[in-house]
């Protein structure tokens, strides 16, 4: 519904502007000179104004988190719509790129027409200084031309660096080029100042198409009719008042205010309490910050000046502060330059040349800033009667916080049954949260609620496979399966057990698993069970 509304707004704005410039009397002479290039350039500009204003709103993370947490958003459908904020941001960005191509192409045709169709009758209407002026010279000597070239270059850098392969291989390039949006909007404000396109202001004194003093009708008409069609005065033209700022200023000010608020909120560094190295290159980080509150499923953004002052990376909370425990934590996998350098600062290699007794050693952690918390789809786990959480590898982190909340005895939520499926390549990965899973299992057994938490663990890599032989991990050993889940059978089993119920499916993992689960959720079930798909996404 929201997608159709957005598409409808873009279509209506394009057609409305196109018809205005093709049939509007004030643009009669300009349209006669430029033709369809005028209509297409202005129609695409209207769509660009709309999307340049909308593209900023999904990035107001604090605002979206606040709206999600208020009673204003009571329906699940509205909260699910907020989960699509990143998708909407991407859609607006793609539409900006597409209509920029249309806009530039139309204006290139306009520049050629300005040169070829130079008007001797209406000099004020011309952008060219003389007939036959080089179009490249017109572009490079006018404000709209120069700013247009700069906007195209910035947009090209932002678009190409936003591709998945660039973000995966070198996130820094994506981060730095995306921050060029500040320069982009400043130039965008200046783009219309030149007043390349002008409209007629005196339609009553000079009806479009009237005969000038030295003109006569080519058709055979009497002099009386010619006199009636004579112009009362010369046509007057003036450029449009710049309107881009009217579209952009509101969302831009809102975004800047939100960023300023986030800067103030994250200005004090956190206290790093504990750093634990887990198997398979995973680091657990426990922190402490005054007045920090978060809900299970939310994420934070870390900034470590010792690694990079300008880079910010999102990580899902694996533990939230409670009444009895003020610390919060994240698990991060050491993949990429930033996490590698950050881990080296957290856990530096011991120096062999210094012989200091362990009890005298003092570990000094780097300065670390935390922004957030921010909302995510995983917050909705507690708002279903039945929820299915599917994790792939380190994608377990959003659901670890949910399990901690159940272990800590959180109350007041709707959830009555939780299915937890965790798929890993290596057996060692399960040790990240093995103690948490066992503790929750024992707690529910003691409360006589064994059916509340349904656990399935899958290890896909069978080479050198060993079992979790420790006695304390026995509850996990009985639920450990070799191979990959058979999703069809799993969904059929859940559907038969929870007939005519609405089941929330939450996924954080590889795209292959996500696509399979999304397809299964959309397929009809004979049991009458409705599956709603919710996917965790990382920027």
């Amino acid at each position: 519904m929201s997608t159709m509304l957005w598409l409808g707004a873009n279509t209506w704005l394009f057609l409305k502007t196109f018809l205005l410039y093709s049939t509007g009397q004030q643009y009669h002479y300009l349209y006669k000179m430029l033709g369809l290039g005028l209509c297409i350039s202005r129609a695409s500009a209207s769509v660009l104004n709309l999307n340049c204003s909308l593209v900023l709103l999904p990035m107001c993370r604090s605002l979206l988190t606040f709206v999600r947490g208020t009673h204003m958003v009571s329906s699940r459908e509205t909260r699910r719509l907020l989960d699509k904020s990143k998708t909407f941001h991407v859609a607006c960005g793609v539409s900006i790129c597409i209509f920029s191509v249309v806009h530039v192409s139309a204006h290139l045709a306009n520049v050629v027409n300005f040169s070829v169709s130079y008007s001797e009758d209406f000099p004020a209407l011309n952008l060219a200084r003389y007939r036959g002026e080089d179009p490249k010279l017109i572009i490079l000597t006018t404000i709209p031309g120069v700013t247009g070239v700069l906007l195209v270059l910035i947009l090209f850098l932002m678009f190409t660096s936003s591709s998945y392969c660039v973000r995966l291989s070198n996130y820094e390039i994506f981060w730095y080029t995306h921050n060029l949006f500040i320069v982009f909007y400043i130039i965008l404000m200046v783009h219309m100042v030149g007043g390349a396109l002008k409209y007629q202001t005196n339609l009553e004194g000079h009806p479009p198409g009237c005969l000038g003093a030295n003109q006569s009708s080519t058709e055979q008409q009497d002099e009386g009719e010619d006199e009636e069609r004579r112009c009362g005065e010369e046509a007057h033209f003036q450029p449009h008042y710049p309107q881009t700022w009217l579209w952009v200023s509101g969302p831009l000010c809102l975004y800047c205010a939100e960023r300023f608020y986030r800067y103030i909120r994250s200005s004090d560094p956190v206290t790093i309490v504990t750093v634990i190295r887990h198997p398979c290159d995973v680091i657990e980080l426990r922190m402490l910050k005054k007045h920090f509150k978060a809900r299970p499923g939310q994420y934070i953004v870390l900034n470590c000046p010792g690694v990079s002052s300008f880079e910010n990376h999102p990580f899902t909370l694996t533990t939230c502060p409670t009444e009895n425990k003020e610390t919060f934590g994240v698990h991060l996998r050491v993949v990429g330059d930033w996490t590698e350098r950050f881990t080296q600062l957290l856990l530096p290699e011991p120096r062999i040349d210094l012989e200091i007794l362990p009890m005298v050693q003092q570990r000094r952690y780097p300065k670390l800033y935390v922004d957030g918390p921010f909302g995510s789809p995983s917050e909705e786990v507690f708002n279903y009667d039945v929820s299915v959480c599917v994790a792939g590898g380190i994608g377990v982190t959003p659901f670890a916080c949910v399990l901690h909340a159940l272990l800590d005895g959180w109350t007041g939520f709707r959830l009555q049954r939780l299915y937890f499926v965790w798929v890993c390549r290596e057996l060692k990965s399960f040790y990240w949260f093995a103690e948490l899973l066992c503790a929750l299992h024992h707690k529910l057994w003691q409360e006589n609620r064994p059916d509340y938490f349904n656990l399935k663990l899958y290890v896909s890599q069978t080479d050198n496979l060993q079992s979790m032989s420790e006695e304390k991990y026995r509850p996990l050993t009985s639920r450990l399966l070799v191979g990959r889940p058979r999703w069809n059978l799993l969904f059929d089993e859940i559907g038969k057990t929870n007939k005519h119920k609405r089941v929330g499916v939450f996924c954080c993992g590889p795209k292959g698993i996500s696509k399979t689960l999304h397809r299964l959720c959309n397929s009809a079930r004979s049991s009458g069970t409705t599956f709603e798909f919710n996917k965790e996404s990382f920027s």
Side-chain angles (χ1 to χ4, degrees), residues 289-343:
K289 184 179 181 181
K290 289 183 179 180
H291 311 298
F292 182 84
K293 296 180 180 179
R295 297 189 296 269
Q298 293 186 326
Y299 70 95
I300 58 175
V301 175
L302 299 184
N303 175 275
C304 181
V307 178
S308 174
S309 299
F310 300 103
E311 284 187 53
N312 300 275
H313 292 266
F315 295 95
T316 306
L317 289 168
T318 49
T319 53
C320 287
T322 61
E323 293 181 359
N324 303 322
K325 182 178 59 178
E326 294 184 348
T327 59
F328 59 98
V330 296
H331 283 62
L332 55 97
R333 189 156 199 171
V334 184
V335 179
D337 296 337
W338 191 89
T339 50
E340 286 179 359
R341 295 198 300 268
F342 185 47
T343 303

Side-chain angles (χ1 to χ4, degrees), residues 429-496:
S429 300
F430 294 117
Y431 284 97
W432 302 337
F433 297 103
E435 293 184 5
L436 170 63
L437 293 171
C438 291
L440 182 59
H441 171 80
H442 290 308
K443 178 179 184 293
L444 294 173
W445 267 88
Q446 290 175 357
E447 296 175 355
N448 197 24
R449 294 193 297 164
D451 294 335
Y452 186 92
F453 181 54
N454 190 303
L455 174 64
K456 293 183 184 294
L457 304 177
Y458 292 87
V459 57
S460 59
Q461 195 176 74
T462 57
D463 298 337
N464 301 321
L465 185 62
Q466 297 177 352
S467 63
M468 303 178 78
S469 56
E470 295 88 340
E471 178 65 25
K472 61 179 180 179
Y473 297 141
R474 179 176 292 180
L476 304 186
T477 306
S478 60
R479 290 161 176 80
L480 181 62
L481 303 171
V482 179
R484 299 181 183 276
R486 300 178 68 179
W487 298 112
N488 277 311
L489 296 178
L490 182 62
F491 269 64
D492 288 338
E493 178 188 338
I494 295 173
K496 291 175 182 178

